Amino acid sequence: MKPGIAAFAATLAAAVLCASAAAQDFPARELRSICNFAPGSGADILVRFYSDKLSKLAGKPVLVENKPGANGALATGELARARPDGHTLMITPASSTIASAPYLFKSLPFDAQKDFQAVTTIATLSFMLMVDAARPIKSVEELVRHLKTRPAEGFYGTSNNTGVIAAELFKHAAGLRTTYAPYKANAQALTDLLQGQVDFLSYDATWALAQAKGGRVRVLAATASRRSVAFPEVPTLGELGYGSNDVTSWWGVVVPAGTARPVVEQLSRWFNRITADGDTRQFLARAAFEAFPGSPDQMSALLRTDAARWKGYVELANIQPQ
């Protein structure tokens, strides 16, 4: 063997051994689970459930850190800057916080294509359009008529990218000019809805379910291509004639780019064990999610194809990057 080739082979073998050793020693300390959204949100509920289950499999504490803001971009940027050793991870609506983000913001604190390593998908989640339950608006058609009587056709609120895209596609289909009001936390959006400061909200089915059960909101439509398991009586926007787009959020786990493959695969195995568990399936159903297990390679491919899909939605809705 030539000296150069021998040296390369030795270097490669050493790297493989180091990666294997890293996986065997993983985790060496507590894990850090970054959440893009505020405590009490639908996102926070899912992140805390999976983080608790992960701590039992990993044998180490998993500390959840909520870093809301910029539709999830602040937390995603935090992950991009973390050490790539598998001890910092993010359980996130990756279709929103990673795949669609470059088309909604002029600048981001991360590179969506280079800064992350996919671990696995875990679940999908529909989004819903909702109004104040105390108001006499009981259908999307009535909401459209109401908005057209409002100055500048009113306001809608949300705190995440999927909610923006869903609402803007609805506006496009309905011929509305309603203004987007960004929120950092769901609670403030709800307060403003109940006080009449915004006319409707565009949020995930998990949070919508809790608010609907409490009698605070009336859910008018789902933004997915099929009805939500949590709201079987609520029609989709497509059924109502407001476009045929499928705005569904999917969740996955990501770590910083450069994390050793054996560590990524170990995390993937743990998360898929959690998703396959009967207790998890019941939790997901109660929280309006549907299980969506996967692998590092499958999630990486989905991030690429979804980036193209969300780009098309942003262009169709004529959303201008902020």
Side-chain angles (χ1 to χ4, degrees):
M1 184 181 293
K2 293 182 179 180
I5 297 176
F8 174 77
T11 301
L12 181 61
V16 170
L17 287 172
C18 287
S20 298
Q24 290 173 0
D25 295 338
F26 176 78
R29 59 183 185 278
E30 72 275 3
L31 297 170
R32 183 178 171 221
S33 176
I34 302 175
C35 179
N36 303 84
F37 303 100
S41 62
D44 180 65
I45 292 169
L46 183 73
V47 170
R48 290 182 183 277
F49 180 90
Y50 267 85
S51 296
D52 179 64
K53 294 284 188 181
L54 177 63
S55 70
K56 294 177 174 62
L57 291 177
K60 297 289 184 181
V62 179
L63 310 178
V64 176
E65 295 184 15
N66 296 85
K67 293 187 176 295
N71 288 14
L74 292 184
T76 311
E78 179 85 4
L79 180 73
R81 295 186 294 273
R83 185 176 177 180
D85 58 7
H87 288 84
T88 303
L89 56 90
M90 190 166 68
I91 305 166
T92 183
S95 55
S96 165
T97 56
I98 297 177
S100 69
Y103 310 110
L104 295 171
F105 295 93
K106 292 178 182 178
S107 63
L108 289 167
F110 59 86
D111 186 317
Q113 295 181 346
K114 298 179 180 179
D115 287 346
F116 309 105
Q117 168 61 54
V119 174
T120 184
T121 52
I122 58 176
T124 62
L125 181 64
S126 179
F127 267 61
M128 320 299 290
L129 301 187
M130 65 203 81
V131 296
D132 179 356
R135 295 184 181 274
I137 299 172
K138 298 184 178 180
S139 69
V140 173
E141 184 179 359
E142 290 179 1
L143 173 61
V144 172
R145 287 202 297 266
H146 164 75
L147 289 168
K148 290 188 175 180
T149 68
R150 296 271 285 132
E153 299 186 347
F155 295 87
Y156 78 86
T158 190
S159 59
N160 58 77
N161 296 339
T162 304
V164 173
I165 291 173
E168 291 295 331
L169 287 171
F170 163 60
K171 282 173 49 182
H172 176 78
L176 292 166
R177 297 179 290 110
T178 307
T179 301
Y180 162 44
Y183 287 91
K184 188 174 182 178
N186 300 23
Q188 187 58 55
L190 178 63
T191 296
D192 285 357
L193 177 74
L194 301 183
Q195 292 180 350
Q197 301 301 310
V198 294
D199 299 279
F200 74 93
L201 300 180
S202 177
Y203 274 96
D204 62 86
T206 303
W207 187 75
L209 184 61
Q211 306 315 313
K213 284 181 175 179
R216 291 176 286 272
V217 305
R218 178 179 297 116
V219 178
L220 302 182
T223 66
S225 60
R226 58 192 177 94
R227 297 190 181 197
S228 168
V229 294
F231 294 96
E233 76 287 356
V234 174
T236 67
L237 285 173
E239 289 178 61
L240 299 173
Y242 293 94
S244 58
N245 303 300
D246 180 11
V247 183
T248 304
S249 174
W250 59 264
W251 281 71
V253 183
V254 288
V255 291
T259 302
R261 181 71 183 198
V263 170
V264 172
E265 290 175 347
Q266 179 62 73
L267 285 169
S268 182
R269 284 191 293 271
W270 281 335
F271 274 101
N272 279 302
R273 279 181 60 185
I274 296 169
T275 299
D277 183 72
D279 183 46
T280 302
R281 295 299 177 111
Q282 292 178 17
F283 162 80
L284 292 174
R286 289 195 303 269
F289 286 90
E290 294 186 49
F292 183 39
S295 70
D297 292 341
Q298 288 171 337
M299 183 177 168
S300 293
L302 186 57
L303 281 170
R304 290 191 295 272
T305 58
D306 239 38
R309 183 166 70 95
W310 292 112
K311 180 176 184 289
Y313 285 165
V314 169
E315 292 174 347
L316 176 63
N318 195 31
I319 300 172
Q320 299 303 312
Q322 300 300 308

